[in-house]
Amino acid sequence: MTVDDGHEQAEGALLDEPTTADLRAKVTEAWREFAGALGALLPTLSPGAHVDLTLDPTASGTGAAIYSVSLRLLEGGVVEALAVGNAALPEGFRMDRSAVADLVALGWSPPGVLPGSGDSFGLRTEVSGANRLATIVTRTLRDVYGAPHPAFLVYLVHDEEDEPLDTAPLGTARHEPSIGHALDLADLDDDGVLTEALANAADEVVPLEERVRTVVATMSKTTVDQLQVDTDGDIGIRAGSAMVFVRVRDNPPLVDVFSPILTEVEPTEQLYVKLSELTNRMPIGRLYCAQDTVWASIPVFGRNFQATHLMLAVQVMTGLADELDDRLHGEFGGKRFFGEGDKPAGRTDGEHRTGMYL
């Protein structure tokens, strides 16, 4: 196979790939996985243990507005949950009547009704109802507080003495100690970590998927086991107000680094012209619109895989996605994956939307 043949085959795989266009199903599955993991975790905890879930303010641009839910295991097999109320939110980020009504409809008691709840919405249930509670918490974080994807959540599980507990991951949500680990190659080789990762990635005997995960884990300063991998096998990376995915394909061997730049955008001739112009300026990769979503994609060849090529693609995509979503949103509207500085708004059509818009 010539280089040109390989490029055409890889490009064809990108053009014909239907799953990248089905973002809604992908996000829905991520939330389902998160709820399942939370429901499975609660019955395993001892009395006094806490699970704190927070919409990362560095991702949402909400600053001092901390949208969070805290769950605590009580004696007698009871779980108490507290969800932040307006009294703890700064002006401009408080929930409107519709959002408050949604919380009550989900089963939350208004602030002060549940003994000890203070200014928070409260809920108590038997630990046997952990799965139902996990569903309520998930819908609260997603539909009321506006988290677009579990990867925008951070969590901490700790015991009665506030000592962190080592537990199974909550889907693609990020464990709190990993917050702030940006993709930065500058200091990765201080202790030889980058050198070792590159050596492992160059080993052709190791499956491509394993080599890719090693590289991304090294860039994220985490372990392969702690990578945020969804049910499609895609590695999720939060990039400011955008979301970047890394997918490994088998035939042909290819690593696709892609991002949904805008959702719910109206396809117009002006949009297609703009995407074509921007694609022509890109040294590699492309921008395209599919099913009312603008995607960016950078392919990395899996045959004779080069770890440095993947590192460059991830770095370029994370920067590109976080910049382009703002630029294209200002010109063509639509929804950024997470609209920086936006606040939760009440849903009017009864349908869960993919981005920050409720």
Side-chain angles (χ1 to χ4, degrees):
M1 178 184 293
T2 66
V3 173
D4 290 339
D5 290 338
H7 177 75
E8 290 178 4
Q9 193 173 1
E11 186 69 11
L14 292 176
L15 290 171
D16 297 336
E17 174 59 40
T19 55
T20 56
D22 195 1
L23 179 61
R24 178 166 310 195
K26 189 178 198 60
V27 174
T28 298
E29 183 58 34
W31 281 115
R32 184 178 293 115
E33 181 183 354
F34 168 79
L38 180 60
L41 170 66
L42 293 176
T44 69
L45 300 177
S46 301
H50 288 70
V51 180
D52 297 325
L53 301 158
T54 304
L55 174 56
D56 187 354
T58 63
S60 60
T62 54
I66 307 298
Y67 296 96
S68 62
V69 175
S70 179
L71 301 102
R72 181 165 63 106
L73 275 294
L74 306 179
E75 297 288 347
V78 175
V79 185
E80 178 184 81
L82 299 177
V84 69
N86 280 336
L89 296 171
E91 189 174 354
F93 292 95
R94 293 171 183 163
M95 295 172 284
D96 59 20
R97 292 182 179 179
S98 175
V100 171
D102 285 345
L103 283 174
V104 174
L106 284 172
W108 295 97
S109 296
V113 173
L114 186 71
S117 62
D119 294 329
S120 299
F121 289 82
L123 178 62
R124 281 183 184 171
T125 185
E126 300 290 331
V127 74
S128 58
N131 288 333
R132 179 177 179 275
L133 177 60
T135 299
I136 293 173
V137 170
T138 298
R139 292 191 60 186
T140 298
L141 292 165
R142 184 194 71 180
D143 298 340
V144 181
Y145 293 160
H149 189 283
F152 288 79
L153 299 177
V154 293
Y155 70 94
L156 180 63
V157 184
H158 48 103
D159 62 18
E160 192 172 11
E161 304 299 326
D162 280 338
E163 291 296 325
L165 294 174
D166 187 17
T167 63
L170 294 181
T172 53
R174 295 178 300 125
H175 194 251
E176 193 168 271
S178 67
I179 299 175
H181 287 179
L183 294 177
D184 184 4
L185 297 183
D187 59 352
L188 278 180
D189 212 28
D190 287 348
D191 54 3
V193 172
L194 178 58
T195 300
E196 181 180 356
L198 291 174
N200 291 338
D203 188 353
E204 293 291 340
V205 177
V206 178
L208 177 61
E209 182 177 9
E210 186 175 332
R211 286 182 280 159
V212 167
R213 294 188 179 187
T214 298
V215 172
V216 177
T218 302
M219 295 182 71
S220 303
K221 297 183 181 179
T222 186
T223 64
V224 172
D225 293 339
Q226 293 176 329
L227 282 178
Q228 314 304 322
V229 183
D230 62 25
T231 54
D232 293 328
D234 297 343
I235 304 170
I237 305 170
R238 202 203 74 218
S241 58
M243 192 75 186
V244 173
F245 298 98
V246 179
R247 170 177 297 175
V248 178
R249 307 181 192 278
D250 295 326
N251 189 23
L254 183 76
V255 183
D256 187 14
V257 181
F258 63 97
S259 174
I261 302 295
L262 284 180
T263 64
E264 299 179 47
V265 65
E266 181 182 355
T268 63
E269 182 179 354
Q270 291 79 6
L271 175 62
Y272 287 120
V273 169
K274 185 67 174 183
L275 296 181
S276 178
E277 291 176 353
L278 291 172
T279 297
N280 288 336
R281 297 179 194 171
M282 296 169 61
I284 187 173
R286 66 194 180 99
L287 292 163
Y288 62 99
C289 184
Q291 294 189 3
D292 300 333
T293 299
V294 173
W295 298 85
S297 173
I298 298 178
V300 176
F301 287 107
R303 187 173 284 107
N304 298 321
F305 175 73
Q306 300 295 316
T308 51
H309 293 176
L310 175 58
M311 289 178 169
L312 179 60
V314 171
Q315 282 193 309
V316 169
M317 182 59 73
T318 52
L320 181 71
D322 193 28
E323 176 186 354
L324 274 185
D325 65 349
D326 295 331
R327 186 192 305 182
L328 292 176
H329 175 263
E331 191 170 349
F332 299 100
K335 308 292 186 296
R336 290 165 290 186
F337 199 86
F338 199 124
E340 186 175 354
D342 292 346
K343 63 178 181 178
R347 194 169 67 254
T348 59
D349 60 2
E351 178 183 4
H352 168 60
R353 296 179 183 272
T354 303
M356 178 67 176
Y357 196 82
L358 299 179

